[in-house]
Amino acid sequence: MKLKTLLLLFTLLFGSVALAKEVAPLAADEAVEKRMVAISEELRCLVCQNESLAGSRADLAQDLRREIRQMIRDGKTDQEILDFMVARYGDFVRYRPPVKPTTWLLWGGPFVLLGGGVVALLLFLRRQRPAATPLSAEERQRAAALLKSSETSDTSNS
Amino acid sequence: MKRFLVPLALFAVLVAFLAIGLTRDPHEVPSPLVGKPAPAFTLPLLHDPAKSFSTADMKGRVWLLNVWASWCVSCREEHPLLVEFAKTGTVPIIGLDYKDGSEDGKKWLARLGNPYSLAVVDADGRVGIDYGVYGVPETYVIDKAGIIRMKQTGPITPEALEKQILPLLAELAK
């Protein structure tokens, strides 16, 4: 039993080592690589649309990362690189598209839904509030007694 | 009965949104290049690498730019339609062999037929990036002034050819 656990542990450990080796080698320039990753994390890979350009292994994503590296080396600003991508693939490549009439629903939709939910909740709570039932004679008497005692204690305090 | 009206209405709106969503292809991203000048390029010819083709050569003509590759499965699906269309001689079709080996490209055309007036090679995919290519095949309709008038992403279907491309070409030819 113990040997089995050990074996399992080993395979798990070595498995992760093998995976770690598969990662593409870093480009020579670490600063360029860092900026490239930062930019490409903001961009969508168009081949596999739920992956960022930084994370995708699609051919096109590799080409585009190469292109971004080149632009960084050429001294382009982040904005210029973003504009380059948007000019070719449209606002869709950006995970945070600009706010404009066609994206109002996208940006505002969640807040509209939240507002609607709050309104619905308030209406629901108001309806649920139990109707006040008149006090019985006995309760009225007790309330009066309580009020009186608190009144006297108040005056004694002050 | 009345208390169900609001949830029912909300549900109807949700269903309407989802129903519209289902009819759309999420892979079809509207190209920002439609209505803009076609990016200029000069590339070597597939069948004669010593010569080159430039977009400037097509000034004053309506033409199609068809992006294809020998490794592309959907291109094979589209190919017979392109060959048929090329026979009508309506407009020149320039083939852009995208990220492909020249030999593979030539063999592919020899076997399946060559619909292109000219085929050029974009070996590293740079021109493809300028055209916003993200899935071959893609086809661009370019007018006499060199403006992209339409982009078809994915294989040209007979419907797309009949209902969109041919009417547009007829209008542009005027």
Side-chain angles (χ1 to χ4, degrees):
Chain A
M1 200 52 201
K2 238 186 175 175
L3 185 71
K4 262 190 183 170
T5 356
L6 257 178
L7 263 174
L8 182 69
L9 200 69
F10 253 81
T11 37
L12 283 176
L13 274 174
F14 279 96
S16 58
V17 168
L19 268 180
K21 270 189 180 161
E22 265 193 45
V23 172
L26 275 178
D29 193 339
E30 210 174 307
V32 169
E33 204 62 16
K34 252 192 189 151
R35 259 188 74 196
M36 187 277 290
V37 169
I39 296 169
S40 55
E41 265 171 354
E42 285 290 317
L43 296 170
R44 187 193 304 275
C45 169
L46 282 118
V47 181
C48 14
Q49 298 184 344
N50 291 330
E51 270 188 305
S52 75
L53 202 54
S56 176
R57 299 179 67 168
D59 254 18
L60 179 66
Q62 286 175 16
D63 287 356
L64 287 175
R65 286 199 296 265
R66 181 194 65 199
E67 209 70 11
I68 293 173
R69 269 189 211 110
Q70 191 52 50
M71 281 189 276
I72 292 172
R73 285 198 204 100
D74 292 346
K76 296 261 167 73
T77 65
D78 288 10
Q79 192 55 50
E80 282 171 324
I81 296 173
L82 271 184
D83 291 346
F84 173 92
M85 303 299 278
V86 171
R88 282 157 182 77
Y89 302 102
D91 287 331
F92 186 73
V93 286
R94 297 179 61 178
Y95 275 120
R96 289 187 286 180
V99 181
K100 56 185 193 182
T102 48
T103 58
W104 280 349
L105 188 63
L106 181 70
W107 281 103
F111 298 105
V112 171
L113 283 181
L114 181 69
V118 168
V119 168
L121 181 70
L122 286 179
L123 285 177
F124 179 75
L125 286 179
R126 184 171 291 178
R127 208 181 292 168
Q128 289 290 301
R129 191 174 292 161
T133 47
L135 297 176
S136 67
E138 202 183 329
E139 283 167 332
R140 207 175 279 275
Q141 241 168 19
R142 264 185 64 205
L146 280 172
L147 280 172
K148 210 169 200 177
S149 68
S150 74
E151 238 166 51
T152 47
S153 66
D154 275 354
T155 42
S156 63
N157 274 347
S158 59
Chain B
M1 199 48 214
K2 214 174 157 192
R3 57 192 292 231
F4 292 119
L5 272 180
V6 172
L8 193 69
L10 286 176
F11 181 68
V13 169
L14 183 70
V15 166
F17 264 85
L18 293 179
I20 294 168
L22 272 180
T23 61
R24 290 190 169 183
D25 181 358
H27 280 277
E28 230 167 80
V29 180
S31 173
L33 286 161
V34 174
K36 301 232 170 76
F41 64 80
T42 303
L43 285 174
L45 301 188
L46 175 68
H47 291 98
D48 189 359
K51 287 187 191 158
S52 64
F53 163 84
S54 161
T55 43
D57 302 347
M58 300 306 283
K59 264 264 144 64
R61 301 181 76 178
V62 180
W63 57 294
L64 293 187
L65 178 72
N66 178 249
V67 185
W68 64 284
S70 68
W71 46 263
C72 152
V73 180
S74 316
C75 300
R76 191 170 287 239
E77 192 184 308
E78 172 188 72
H79 206 73
L81 189 74
L82 267 185
V83 172
E84 276 308 304
F85 176 64
K87 278 186 196 153
T88 66
T90 317
V91 287
I93 309 174
I94 306 296
L96 183 82
D97 193 5
Y98 176 69
K99 299 198 73 173
D100 200 5
S102 298
E103 285 312 309
D104 294 337
K106 270 189 250 178
K107 264 187 224 156
W108 200 78
L109 289 183
R111 197 169 60 225
L112 298 167
N114 184 354
Y116 304 117
S117 319
L118 272 177
V120 295
V121 186
D122 179 24
D124 59 3
R126 269 247 159 72
V127 170
I129 289 178
D130 279 342
Y131 276 80
V133 171
Y134 61 91
V136 258
E138 290 190 5
T139 306
Y140 299 80
V141 179
I142 298 167
D143 72 8
K144 289 176 182 167
I147 308 285
I148 296 178
R149 299 301 290 262
M150 189 201 139
K151 176 186 176 184
Q152 166 82 21
T153 307
I156 299 173
T157 57
E159 291 103 291
L161 185 65
E162 287 293 324
K163 292 195 181 131
Q164 293 174 43
I165 298 176
L166 288 179
L168 179 62
L169 289 179
E171 188 199 319
L172 292 179
K174 280 175 199 162

